[in-house]
Amino acid sequence: GMHAVVTHVALMADCADMCIRAADSMIRHSSAHAVICTACALLCESCAQECEAFKNDRQMLVCACACHDCAAHCREMSKLAI
């Protein structure tokens, strides 16, 4: 289906990879964590918007909710002083 389109799959993979990078940056107490977490939030929001386009696909809507939650947490983490 449409959720198997290469660009959508790539966006979901990029989002997952960025989430890992954001978590790693926090664990390492990276001085760049704010930039990384901000980028992660933006990518997660993009992924959520794409997943929301699949209004009749429950799994894509669950993915959209997870991406919105992750984006909110990343925005908060970007404000933390570590």
Side-chain angles (χ1 to χ4, degrees), residues 8-22:
H8 181 70
V9 173
L11 177 59
M12 290 191 300
D14 288 345
C15 185
D17 285 346
M18 184 56 86
C19 290
I20 292 167
R21 298 293 79 76

PDB file of all heavy atoms in Angstrom, residues 8-22:
ATOM      1  N   HIS A   8       8.177   7.231   2.258  1.00  0.00           N
ATOM      2  CA  HIS A   8       7.551   7.115   3.584  1.00  0.00           C
ATOM      3  C   HIS A   8       8.373   6.187   4.470  1.00  0.00           C
ATOM      4  O   HIS A   8       8.628   6.501   5.645  1.00  0.00           O
ATOM      5  CB  HIS A   8       6.108   6.614   3.459  1.00  0.00           C
ATOM      6  CG  HIS A   8       5.419   6.492   4.771  1.00  0.00           C
ATOM      7  ND1 HIS A   8       5.046   7.590   5.522  1.00  0.00           N
ATOM      8  CD2 HIS A   8       5.041   5.406   5.476  1.00  0.00           C
ATOM      9  CE1 HIS A   8       4.470   7.180   6.631  1.00  0.00           C
ATOM     10  NE2 HIS A   8       4.456   5.857   6.634  1.00  0.00           N
ATOM     11  N   VAL A   9       8.792   5.068   3.926  1.00  0.00           N
ATOM     12  CA  VAL A   9       9.619   4.126   4.685  1.00  0.00           C
ATOM     13  C   VAL A   9      10.932   4.790   5.089  1.00  0.00           C
ATOM     14  O   VAL A   9      11.395   4.649   6.230  1.00  0.00           O
ATOM     15  CB  VAL A   9       9.869   2.836   3.875  1.00  0.00           C
ATOM     16  CG1 VAL A   9      10.864   1.927   4.581  1.00  0.00           C
ATOM     17  CG2 VAL A   9       8.550   2.095   3.635  1.00  0.00           C
ATOM     18  N   ALA A  10      11.523   5.547   4.181  1.00  0.00           N
ATOM     19  CA  ALA A  10      12.777   6.248   4.480  1.00  0.00           C
ATOM     20  C   ALA A  10      12.577   7.265   5.598  1.00  0.00           C
ATOM     21  O   ALA A  10      13.436   7.391   6.489  1.00  0.00           O
ATOM     22  CB  ALA A  10      13.316   6.928   3.227  1.00  0.00           C
ATOM     23  N   LEU A  11      11.465   7.991   5.574  1.00  0.00           N
ATOM     24  CA  LEU A  11      11.188   8.969   6.628  1.00  0.00           C
ATOM     25  C   LEU A  11      11.046   8.279   7.973  1.00  0.00           C
ATOM     26  O   LEU A  11      11.588   8.748   8.987  1.00  0.00           O
ATOM     27  CB  LEU A  11       9.935   9.793   6.302  1.00  0.00           C
ATOM     28  CG  LEU A  11       9.513  10.804   7.360  1.00  0.00           C
ATOM     29  CD1 LEU A  11      10.626  11.825   7.620  1.00  0.00           C
ATOM     30  CD2 LEU A  11       8.232  11.506   6.935  1.00  0.00           C
ATOM     31  N   MET A  12      10.322   7.158   8.011  1.00  0.00           N
ATOM     32  CA  MET A  12      10.167   6.432   9.274  1.00  0.00           C
ATOM     33  C   MET A  12      11.524   5.928   9.770  1.00  0.00           C
ATOM     34  O   MET A  12      11.819   6.008  10.967  1.00  0.00           O
ATOM     35  CB  MET A  12       9.171   5.290   9.120  1.00  0.00           C
ATOM     36  CG  MET A  12       7.736   5.772   8.954  1.00  0.00           C
ATOM     37  SD  MET A  12       6.490   4.463   9.073  1.00  0.00           S
ATOM     38  CE  MET A  12       6.964   3.388   7.720  1.00  0.00           C
ATOM     39  N   ALA A  13      12.376   5.443   8.878  1.00  0.00           N
ATOM     40  CA  ALA A  13      13.701   4.964   9.266  1.00  0.00           C
ATOM     41  C   ALA A  13      14.569   6.128   9.755  1.00  0.00           C
ATOM     42  O   ALA A  13      15.287   5.992  10.758  1.00  0.00           O
ATOM     43  CB  ALA A  13      14.368   4.249   8.095  1.00  0.00           C
ATOM     44  N   ASP A  14      14.499   7.258   9.060  1.00  0.00           N
ATOM     45  CA  ASP A  14      15.256   8.441   9.491  1.00  0.00           C
ATOM     46  C   ASP A  14      14.811   8.884  10.875  1.00  0.00           C
ATOM     47  O   ASP A  14      15.637   9.251  11.719  1.00  0.00           O
ATOM     48  CB  ASP A  14      15.072   9.593   8.507  1.00  0.00           C
ATOM     49  CG  ASP A  14      15.798   9.377   7.190  1.00  0.00           C
ATOM     50  OD1 ASP A  14      16.676   8.491   7.120  1.00  0.00           O
ATOM     51  OD2 ASP A  14      15.460  10.094   6.219  1.00  0.00           O
ATOM     52  N   CYS A  15      13.521   8.851  11.111  1.00  0.00           N
ATOM     53  CA  CYS A  15      12.972   9.250  12.404  1.00  0.00           C
ATOM     54  C   CYS A  15      13.491   8.320  13.499  1.00  0.00           C
ATOM     55  O   CYS A  15      13.956   8.777  14.550  1.00  0.00           O
ATOM     56  CB  CYS A  15      11.449   9.231  12.337  1.00  0.00           C
ATOM     57  SG  CYS A  15      10.647   9.835  13.835  1.00  0.00           S
ATOM     58  N   ALA A  16      13.425   7.024  13.267  1.00  0.00           N
ATOM     59  CA  ALA A  16      13.904   6.055  14.256  1.00  0.00           C
ATOM     60  C   ALA A  16      15.399   6.249  14.521  1.00  0.00           C
ATOM     61  O   ALA A  16      15.839   6.238  15.685  1.00  0.00           O
ATOM     62  CB  ALA A  16      13.625   4.639  13.774  1.00  0.00           C
ATOM     63  N   ASP A  17      16.179   6.454  13.459  1.00  0.00           N
ATOM     64  CA  ASP A  17      17.614   6.679  13.618  1.00  0.00           C
ATOM     65  C   ASP A  17      17.890   7.948  14.431  1.00  0.00           C
ATOM     66  O   ASP A  17      18.759   7.964  15.307  1.00  0.00           O
ATOM     67  CB  ASP A  17      18.312   6.801  12.260  1.00  0.00           C
ATOM     68  CG  ASP A  17      18.469   5.472  11.553  1.00  0.00           C
ATOM     69  OD1 ASP A  17      18.299   4.412  12.191  1.00  0.00           O
ATOM     70  OD2 ASP A  17      18.751   5.493  10.339  1.00  0.00           O
ATOM     71  N   MET A  18      17.146   9.009  14.149  1.00  0.00           N
ATOM     72  CA  MET A  18      17.364  10.262  14.864  1.00  0.00           C
ATOM     73  C   MET A  18      16.989  10.121  16.337  1.00  0.00           C
ATOM     74  O   MET A  18      17.646  10.705  17.211  1.00  0.00           O
ATOM     75  CB  MET A  18      16.587  11.408  14.216  1.00  0.00           C
ATOM     76  CG  MET A  18      16.854  12.750  14.861  1.00  0.00           C
ATOM     77  SD  MET A  18      18.595  13.227  14.919  1.00  0.00           S
ATOM     78  CE  MET A  18      18.765  13.981  13.337  1.00  0.00           C
ATOM     79  N   CYS A  19      15.971   9.341  16.626  1.00  0.00           N
ATOM     80  CA  CYS A  19      15.594   9.105  18.031  1.00  0.00           C
ATOM     81  C   CYS A  19      16.730   8.420  18.775  1.00  0.00           C
ATOM     82  O   CYS A  19      17.029   8.759  19.930  1.00  0.00           O
ATOM     83  CB  CYS A  19      14.321   8.273  18.112  1.00  0.00           C
ATOM     84  SG  CYS A  19      12.842   9.166  17.581  1.00  0.00           S
ATOM     85  N   ILE A  20      17.372   7.461  18.124  1.00  0.00           N
ATOM     86  CA  ILE A  20      18.516   6.788  18.734  1.00  0.00           C
ATOM     87  C   ILE A  20      19.649   7.782  18.960  1.00  0.00           C
ATOM     88  O   ILE A  20      20.274   7.807  20.028  1.00  0.00           O
ATOM     89  CB  ILE A  20      18.986   5.605  17.856  1.00  0.00           C
ATOM     90  CG1 ILE A  20      17.920   4.503  17.851  1.00  0.00           C
ATOM     91  CG2 ILE A  20      20.342   5.065  18.332  1.00  0.00           C
ATOM     92  CD1 ILE A  20      18.134   3.443  16.789  1.00  0.00           C
ATOM     93  N   ARG A  21      19.922   8.626  17.952  1.00  0.00           N
ATOM     94  CA  ARG A  21      20.992   9.630  18.094  1.00  0.00           C
ATOM     95  C   ARG A  21      20.680  10.587  19.245  1.00  0.00           C
ATOM     96  O   ARG A  21      21.579  10.977  19.998  1.00  0.00           O
ATOM     97  CB  ARG A  21      21.152  10.443  16.808  1.00  0.00           C
ATOM     98  CG  ARG A  21      21.547   9.680  15.563  1.00  0.00           C
ATOM     99  CD  ARG A  21      22.947   9.086  15.559  1.00  0.00           C
ATOM    100  NE  ARG A  21      23.125   7.861  16.302  1.00  0.00           N
ATOM    101  CZ  ARG A  21      22.726   6.637  15.910  1.00  0.00           C
ATOM    102  NH1 ARG A  21      22.095   6.451  14.794  1.00  0.00           N
ATOM    103  NH2 ARG A  21      22.981   5.578  16.666  1.00  0.00           N
ATOM    104  N   ALA A  22      19.415  11.006  19.363  1.00  0.00           N
ATOM    105  CA  ALA A  22      19.039  11.937  20.434  1.00  0.00           C
ATOM    106  C   ALA A  22      19.256  11.286  21.799  1.00  0.00           C
ATOM    107  O   ALA A  22      19.816  11.907  22.717  1.00  0.00           O
ATOM    108  CB  ALA A  22      17.583  12.378  20.266  1.00  0.00           C
TER     109      ALA A  22
END
